[in-house]
Amino acid sequence: MSSPLISPATLPQPAYTYAEFRALVATLAAERRTTGPEQTPGLIRYTDQNQAHLDRAHAVPLLPELVSKIANLARPEQWLVLAEAWCGDTAHTLPILAHLAEVSAGRVTLHVLLRSDHPALMAAHQTNGGDSIPKLVRLDAATGADLGDWGPRPAEAQELAHQLHADKSLHVNQIIKEMNAWYEADNGAAVQRELLALLG
C-alpha cells in the first residue's frame, strides 16, 4: 500500500505497512512458517516468539524531544525498514520506528521491506559488508533522495553482540537470550538517542 507522500513508482514492491507486517508475522507464526528462503525450525520459533517483543517494543515511552524533532522535519520523509519476521533485533526496534512514524504529524511514512525481497537495496545499505537487519533507509518523500540510514542495532547492543558471538562457548539461544535482556532493560532509549542525533 503506497503513501500519498511518495509515488508508487518510488516505493519498492512488495512493501508492507507496519500493520500489514504485523499481520504477516501472525499468519506465518500460526502456519509454522517465516519470511525468507530459509524455513528452519529455529527461525520459525523465533518468528513466533518475536510477536511478544513486537508488542512490548511498541509500548515503550517515546522521547518527547525526538517526537518534536520528527513532527517538525524540514521535509516529509519515507522510511523504509529492511527486516525479516524471524529477526530479533527487528522485533525490538521496528515497533519504535513505526510508533514514531505514527506520531510524526504526517512527516514520516514507514514501510517494511523484507530483506529477501530486496537484495539490491540491502546491498546498497550493508553494515561492514554484511546484510545486517533491521536497516532503516531514510528517503526524501518528494524526490526519493537518500537521506541516510541507521541500523542494525544501537551501538551498545552492537558491542554486546560482537562480544557474545566471539565467545564460542555460547549457544545461539543463549546469545539471543542475552540480547533480548539488553533490549528489555534499555527499553528503547538507545535507538531513540541515536535517531535524535541522526536527525540533527
Side-chain angles (χ1 to χ4, degrees), residues 59-180:
V60 305
L62 299 178
L63 293 177
E65 58 268 41
L66 179 57
V67 172
S68 176
K69 173 74 72 175
I70 288 176
N72 291 284
L73 288 171
R75 60 178 78 88
E77 294 188 11
Q78 172 73 22
W79 286 7
L80 306 179
V81 184
L82 288 156
E84 295 286 350
W86 47 261
C87 175
D89 294 289
T90 292
H92 290 291
T93 303
L94 174 60
I96 298 170
L97 300 175
H99 196 182
L100 288 167
E102 289 165 14
V103 300
S104 71
R107 302 306 280 172
V108 171
T109 303
L110 177 143
H111 286 86
V112 183
L113 308 180
L114 299 182
R115 179 181 72 178
S116 49
D117 287 340
H118 299 276
L121 184 64
M122 184 72 256
H125 294 276
Q126 290 184 325
T127 302
N128 299 323
D131 295 340
S132 302
I133 53 174
K135 178 68 76 165
L136 165 64
V137 179
R138 297 169 50 227
L139 303 177
D140 182 309
T143 67
D146 194 324
L147 301 176
D149 60 30
W150 177 91
R153 306 178 179 98
E156 295 168 49
Q158 189 79 330
E159 178 61 29
L160 175 60
H162 285 317
Q163 292 173 8
L164 293 171
H165 285 285
D167 185 346
K168 300 308 179 185
S169 70
L170 294 178
H171 187 274
V172 65
N173 289 344
Q174 181 62 31
I175 294 174
I176 290 171
K177 183 178 179 181
E178 294 282 349
M179 293 302 300
N180 285 340

